[in-house]
Amino acid sequence: MKTVLITGAARGIGRECALLFAKSGYAVAINYNSSENQAKELERLIGPPSVAIKADVSDEAQVRAMFERARAHFGKGFDVIINNAGISLYGLFTDIPLSDFKRLLDVNVCGPVLCCKYGLPYMIERKLGCIINISSVWGICGASCEVHYSVSKAAIIGLTKALAKEVGPSNVTVNCIAPGVIDTDMLSCFSKEEINALKEQTPLGRIGKPEDVAHLALYLASDSARFITGQVISPNGGFVI
Ligand code: NAP
């Protein structure tokens, strides 16, 4: 049975990925940090051997312990890692304290770096593996009042491209999904009017659903996508073309 680690899987895009990968036959490690009840509920819904594992992805000791626990539980490492956990930061560039930016980088950049660090040895040893990093359209084109978030998501694109070159010879693919606006809790800082304005700016006339991202992730993890690496693919309804 193939194994997948999905970080931040209790809610939003990560939850949808967990449901879809489980439905497609994967054993899922449902990582969570604060949403314990939702993670345990999802664990029950999906059923064994999938398992919920708590870890703050910005903390190296917790990430290491998560990989050790998963390896003991599944009896093997991860075939697929989806670095999905992330936080947003909204405000005027000059108003954001450096400490908030450092926390953002710890979660959005160090988190994926750590999960790649602890997940890659198994993939390299087997000469097979797939890493999917969740960035954002803002990592491609930048967003006003989300400058720090855009920086963190641009870093994920750099991580994807460079790591794809380093581990390609070991037959490990590393790709990036850069979603447009997706209907999750992350949009809670936007008013209804702002969401409607975003819909109007989108050629397909709607904002995205978590499924729009999950189906792409499942494809990138499939055997049909073994020649795709180092790429940034953006499900965004045409918002950025
Ligand atoms: P969400 O509903 O707010 O979910 C965020 C997830 O990240 C939660 O499951 C949360 O887990 C997890 N997380 C946050 N900090 C964590 C930490 N330190 N350690 C482990 N997990 C942590 O947001 P979402 O929209 O699904 O976002 C998922 C990813 O997509 C993020 O990387 C986000 O930047 C990206 N994205 C979202 C959009 C959008 O419009 N929604 C667009 C582009 C990109 P807990 O609740 O357990 O703490």
Side-chain angles (χ1 to χ4, degrees):
M1 197 175 200
K2 280 191 176 176
T3 49
V4 59
L5 167 67
I6 303 170
T7 64
R11 300 188 285 121
I13 292 169
R15 182 178 193 274
E16 200 59 42
C17 289
L19 287 166
L20 186 65
F21 274 73
K23 207 170 121 190
S24 307
Y26 281 81
V28 185
I30 302 159
N31 161 254
Y32 68 96
N33 185 33
S34 56
S35 299
E36 178 149 3
N37 290 342
Q38 283 146 293
K40 296 282 181 196
E41 192 192 313
L42 185 62
E43 182 190 59
R44 276 192 296 277
L45 182 68
I46 293 177
S50 293
V51 62
I53 307 180
K54 179 174 164 60
D56 177 340
V57 293
S58 69
D59 181 316
E60 182 159 12
Q62 292 187 39
V63 171
R64 195 188 312 116
M66 170 169 68
F67 275 82
E68 283 167 4
R69 194 176 152 207
R71 186 143 195 162
H73 178 81
F74 293 126
K76 59 180 282 199
F78 290 112
D79 300 293
V80 179
I81 293 174
I82 304 180
N83 284 310
N84 165 77
I87 52 176
S88 57
L89 189 54
Y90 192 80
L92 274 180
F93 178 72
T94 45
D95 287 348
I96 303 279
L98 185 63
S99 55
D100 288 3
F101 180 47
K102 285 187 172 169
R103 177 65 190 154
L104 182 86
L105 290 179
D106 276 347
V107 176
N108 290 6
V109 183
C110 296
V113 165
L114 287 171
C115 289
C116 291
K117 176 180 170 180
Y118 286 98
L120 271 168
Y122 174 79
M123 295 180 177
I124 290 170
E125 190 190 311
R126 290 181 65 229
K127 295 234 175 308
L128 187 62
C130 168
I131 292 172
I132 299 168
N133 297 318
I134 307 294
S135 174
S136 162
V137 276
W138 302 144
I140 299 171
C141 61
S144 166
C145 293
E146 289 193 78
V147 175
H148 299 79
Y149 178 77
S150 302
V151 170
S152 74
K153 291 303 183 178
I156 289 303
I157 293 174
L159 168 68
T160 300
K161 292 183 178 184
L163 192 59
K165 289 184 179 174
E166 184 163 322
V167 299
S170 299
N171 197 33
V172 176
T173 62
V174 188
N175 288 294
C176 181
I177 298 179
V181 184
I182 306 293
D183 190 9
T184 70
D185 295 344
M186 201 168 262
L187 298 193
S188 57
C189 60
F190 294 108
S191 67
K192 217 171 174 181
E193 291 70 36
E194 285 169 324
I195 302 277
N196 282 338
L198 288 166
K199 282 182 192 170
E200 277 165 27
Q201 289 166 47
T202 305
L204 289 181
R206 66 170 177 90
I207 60 169
K209 295 176 285 201
E211 304 87 284
D212 294 320
V213 180
H215 284 283
L216 177 55
L218 186 67
Y219 170 69
L220 287 173
S222 74
D223 290 346
S224 309
R226 289 307 307 165
F227 198 52
I228 300 174
T229 197
Q231 303 305 305
V232 182
I233 305 175
S234 184
N236 64 45
F239 186 74
V240 171
I241 292 179

